[in-house]
Amino acid sequence: MITTKYHNERFANAIQLVPQDVPPIWFMRQAGRYHSHYRKLKETYSFMELCKEPELAAEVALGPVKEFGFDVSILFSDLLFPLEALGMGLTYDPGPKLSFSLTSITDLNKLKPVEEAIEGLVFQKQAVIRTREVLPKDVSLIGFVGGPFTLMTYASIGKHDGNLSFIKTNQNFVDEFYTILLPLLKKNIELQLQGGAEVVMMFDTAAGMLDPNNFRRYVAEPISELTKTFPNQIGYYAKNSTEEHIRQIHKIPDLVGFGVDHRFSIPNVLHEFGGKGFIQGNFDQELLFADPVTLKHKIKEYLLPIKDMDPNDRVGWVAGLGHGVLQFTPEASIHSLIEETRKVFTK
């Protein structure tokens, strides 16, 4: 196991369940298209260059930390790179497109062996190293990888919002693909931890579409396999997850924490699932488009019930959004949410 040093005290307290007044703050997609710093870089460099050139990836990740004062930074990358590393020919125009799809077990023969594929992900380790070098010493750094199920949906049908009947009804195909994908993700996670990531978050943007039984088979069980290898170093988030999904996620052994979206009450989630690892979320990101007066009201409406909790009852909370920062979100709204959060919880 790779020893972890937490750079941000508030983030460390959340992970280690130490009571504190002010929570750590990080947002999913906090570096990206909404931010003028990113858009300026995008005038010169392609998305692929920004991800794959460590100096550029570090610059993208650093931008929102400098501007907004986040407690935690995130590796700037893309969750589909493991599929590219397996030989699936990834391009962006502007959205992702793979050169072929997996539609049968025989298609798996087209994929590169894991030992060869992992070489295509070494750039992420270098990006983590460089990002750690440029970040302030008191800012934590997390890595990220795509969840196995989301990677499966892209590999087989090219997107995660279509008809998933092929995946849901072909367990043997999924099992065979997972025998390739899970070992690659293990090595991918290891690379990021070796580079200096304190935690690696796993993002599953398609898993919320699963019924409880398939969620257990396709999500909870394989992630449990990964957390055995990296205890208390993997976090997880499933977009559009249900309470049953959260219940299963909460039971995954050695998971360092998980995120919930804006449809859940943070006080209720902390009450029912707290005390095991961090819980990240979950202000509604669409409210960030409100006018300043309305936004300030909505922020306080959201924060005050959490503020009323005893600090011992909200241990583990990491303040964030329900999913992530949306394109065209006003930068002033990001400032407002962060400033109001720290103001409300500062005694």
Side-chain angles (χ1 to χ4, degrees), residues 30-31 34-35 37 58-73 134-136 138-139 331 334-335 338-339 342:
Q30 65 187 32
Y34 79 98
H35 194 200
H37 170 263
E59 178 62 25
V60 175
L62 177 63
V65 170
K66 290 174 66 175
E67 165 121 9
F68 304 107
F70 288 106
D71 294 291
V72 181
S73 183
V134 302
L135 285 176
D138 62 349
V139 172
E331 293 179 26
I334 304 291
H335 280 290
I338 293 172
E339 291 164 8
R342 291 192 173 131

Side-chain angles (χ1 to χ4, degrees), residues 76-327:
F76 185 77
S77 197
D78 189 80
L79 60 81
L80 295 182
F81 286 132
L83 299 182
E84 182 193 39
L86 286 168
M88 296 193 73
L90 179 64
T91 57
Y92 295 87
D93 187 29
K97 184 175 178 58
L98 297 165
S99 60
F100 64 89
S101 298
L102 305 175
T103 58
S104 68
I105 286 181
T106 58
D107 285 341
L108 300 179
N109 295 326
K110 300 177 183 179
L111 302 179
K112 294 179 181 180
V114 170
E115 293 300 330
E116 181 181 345
I118 192 60
E119 295 302 316
L121 294 168
V122 172
F123 73 90
Q124 288 190 336
K125 177 180 179 180
Q126 300 305 320
V128 171
I129 290 171
R130 183 57 186 149
T131 303
R132 181 66 272 168
E133 289 173 347
V134 302
L135 285 176
K137 299 301 182 186
D138 62 349
V139 172
S140 280
L141 174 61
I142 63 174
F144 90 92
V145 294
F149 183 74
T150 294
L151 290 171
M152 161 63 69
T153 64
Y154 272 105
S156 59
I157 63 174
K159 54 185 177 180
H160 66 76
D161 58 355
N163 186 332
L164 300 182
S165 59
F166 171 75
I167 302 169
K168 293 178 178 179
T169 59
N170 285 274
Q171 181 68 49
N172 289 340
F173 172 76
V174 177
D175 289 344
E176 286 298 315
F177 181 56
Y178 274 14
T179 64
I180 300 168
L181 183 61
L182 290 180
L184 180 61
L185 288 179
K186 282 184 182 180
K187 290 181 177 294
N188 192 183
I189 291 167
E190 184 176 31
L191 281 178
Q192 294 187 24
L193 291 172
Q194 288 173 343
E198 299 164 32
V199 168
V200 175
M201 283 295 293
M202 180 167 286
F203 294 98
D204 242 337
T205 52
M209 302 170 71
L210 290 171
D211 65 89
N213 289 329
N214 274 325
F215 190 89
R216 184 175 298 106
R217 291 288 300 272
Y218 293 145
V219 177
E221 290 177 1
I223 292 174
S224 296
E225 193 177 314
L226 295 172
T227 58
K228 287 177 187 175
T229 305
F230 306 103
N232 298 311
Q233 292 180 306
I234 296 177
Y236 181 76
Y237 171 80
K239 186 178 180 181
N240 295 326
S241 53
T242 66
E243 186 171 344
E244 171 60 25
H245 293 153
I246 297 298
R247 202 173 304 283
Q248 290 191 35
I249 293 166
H250 180 252
K251 291 179 181 178
I252 294 174
D254 299 315
L255 192 71
V256 73
F258 62 90
V260 294
D261 71 25
H262 60 279
R263 297 169 302 142
F264 290 86
S265 159
I266 279 290
N268 290 346
V269 172
L270 287 168
H271 175 75
E272 186 167 358
F273 302 109
K276 185 178 177 183
F278 73 75
I279 294 176
Q280 194 260 358
N282 69 341
F283 186 75
D284 186 346
Q285 55 279 330
E286 293 178 359
L287 294 177
L288 293 171
F289 289 88
D291 65 83
V293 174
T294 301
L295 176 60
K296 190 170 184 178
H297 170 74
K298 292 294 184 182
I299 292 172
K300 288 189 174 179
E301 183 179 62
Y302 166 77
L303 291 175
L304 290 180
I306 310 173
K307 166 71 172 177
D308 289 341
M309 300 175 70
D310 187 291
N312 290 288
D313 294 329
R314 62 169 185 263
V315 292
W317 181 45
V318 177
L321 300 176
H323 177 47
V325 185
L326 300 174
Q327 187 179 13

